[in-house]
Amino acid sequence: MIFIKSPEEIDKIKRACEIVAQVFLDIEKYIKPGITTAEIDEIGEKLIISYGGRPAFKGYRGYQYATCISVNSEVVHGIPSPKKVLAEGDIVGLDMGAINQGYYSDMARTYPVGKVSKQAKLLLKCGREALTIAIGKVRPGVRLGDVSSSIERHAKAHGYSVVKDLFGHGIGQNMHEDPLIPNYGVAGEGVELRPGMTLAIEPMLNVGGSAIITLSDGWTVVTKDRSLSAHFEDTVLVTDNGVEILTCQKKT
Ligand code: MF3
Ligand code: CO
């Protein structure tokens, strides 16, 4: 069941998205060699609260943190830890959501830590582009497969694979709503997009194969071949004639 959001609901989702987008802007400067992922989580949580939101991930299926922080071959759902220190050359995926008046936002970015390898830089560039391209497909009348397939096409063109076992999703009064949004698909197939749908689109690209495994902590997802992985996510709204990126980072 895909919910079409009312203008009132959209306003609440928009604010949840503004909060998390602002937190990303604020937190970037802390992503440096020497910081622990637990410290980043703590800063993220404080910032979300300072802007009037609630951390969306905390308490979700027993998850205890405001953020997921995934380093190098970790794809998503990395658990913040005081033992995990970022080092020069790492890439770090930061995933956060906020709740505002019962409505959710979801957003992720993968950052270089200090100077990174050319391979890492190219992966980040392609992942970022894949998200931009996918969002560029979104408008009423388009099929979900048009969006999904554009992600895999772009990844493949640059020699990367996409994660096939995890998905983007609708979002609203729940973090995860229909439809599932794969990072692969067939153009022209799938659900037709309509104004008022709110979607979290989240390409996950791997340098190696697409296979993933979940570590024994029950959360951390890594690439099976331990190759580098990058994750980018925005929450977007299907408008009457196109798309609005709700987690847009307008610098002020
Ligand atoms: N941001 C993730 C997603 O897109 C969800 C995080 S799982 C949580 O689907 F448990 F950390 F919340
Ligand atoms: Co998501």
Side-chain angles (χ1 to χ4, degrees):
M1 167 88 186
I2 301 173
F3 298 103
I4 302 295
K5 273 71 178 186
S6 68
E8 294 72 28
E9 291 183 295
I10 289 167
D11 280 346
K12 290 174 187 165
I13 296 170
K14 271 191 182 168
R15 181 62 198 145
C17 289
E18 276 169 17
I19 291 169
V20 83
Q22 183 62 48
V23 173
F24 269 92
L25 282 179
D26 295 350
I27 213 165
E28 277 170 22
K29 62 174 179 285
Y30 296 101
I31 299 177
K32 288 196 302 206
I35 194 164
T36 69
T37 58
E39 288 169 320
I40 297 172
D41 178 72
E42 206 175 298
I43 296 165
E45 176 163 10
K46 283 197 180 127
L47 285 168
I48 290 170
I49 292 167
S50 78
Y51 290 119
R54 279 203 298 125
F57 298 179
K58 209 170 182 169
Y60 181 84
R61 296 187 176 195
Y63 191 74
Q64 295 184 20
Y65 300 89
T67 66
C68 295
I69 305 180
S70 309
V71 183
N72 295 333
S73 61
E74 296 172 354
V75 180
V76 288
H77 303 168
I79 302 176
S81 163
K83 290 190 203 131
K84 245 184 175 164
V85 184
L86 296 187
E88 179 100 16
D90 286 343
I91 59 170
V92 56
L94 177 60
D95 191 353
M96 288 187 273
I99 307 172
N100 167 55
Q101 297 178 278
Y103 287 81
Y104 284 74
S105 61
D106 196 359
M107 177 174 180
R109 294 286 184 267
T110 303
Y111 298 99
V113 181
K115 196 170 159 40
V116 302
S117 68
K118 180 139 190 245
Q119 184 191 56
K121 235 184 250 172
L122 290 173
L123 174 69
L124 297 185
K125 179 168 183 281
C126 188
R128 174 65 256 193
E129 287 168 353
L131 178 58
T132 304
I133 289 166
I135 293 171
K137 298 279 177 197
V138 175
R139 63 186 152 75
V142 152
R143 302 266 172 181
L144 210 47
D146 299 321
V147 179
S148 291
S149 62
S150 75
I151 295 172
E152 187 178 31
R153 189 175 329 112
H154 191 66
K156 274 193 169 164
H158 292 268
Y160 303 117
S161 67
V162 294
V163 172
K164 300 203 160 174
D165 302 336
L166 296 168
F167 305 86
H169 46 92
I171 184 166
Q173 274 187 290
N174 299 101
M175 184 156 54
H176 294 132
E177 297 182 353
D178 290 340
L180 281 181
I181 307 177
N183 291 314
Y184 61 93
V186 179
E189 288 190 357
V191 167
E192 185 176 326
L193 300 186
R194 287 169 51 197
M197 288 181 179
T198 41
L199 308 171
I201 301 175
E202 46 184 318
M204 293 160 239
L205 271 59
N206 301 342
V207 167
S210 62
I212 54 170
I213 54 173
T214 303
L215 299 185
S216 57
D217 62 23
W219 285 101
T220 312
V221 174
V222 300
T223 51
K224 191 163 180 230
D225 59 14
R226 300 301 197 274
S227 67
L228 284 182
S229 185
H231 176 215
F232 292 85
E233 176 174 21
D234 275 319
T235 298
V236 307
L237 167 71
V238 184
T239 61
D240 288 335
N241 45 23
V243 64
E244 185 177 344
I245 304 173
L246 302 183
T247 44
C248 179
Q249 296 176 290
K250 294 169 258 175
K251 302 221 185 203
T252 46

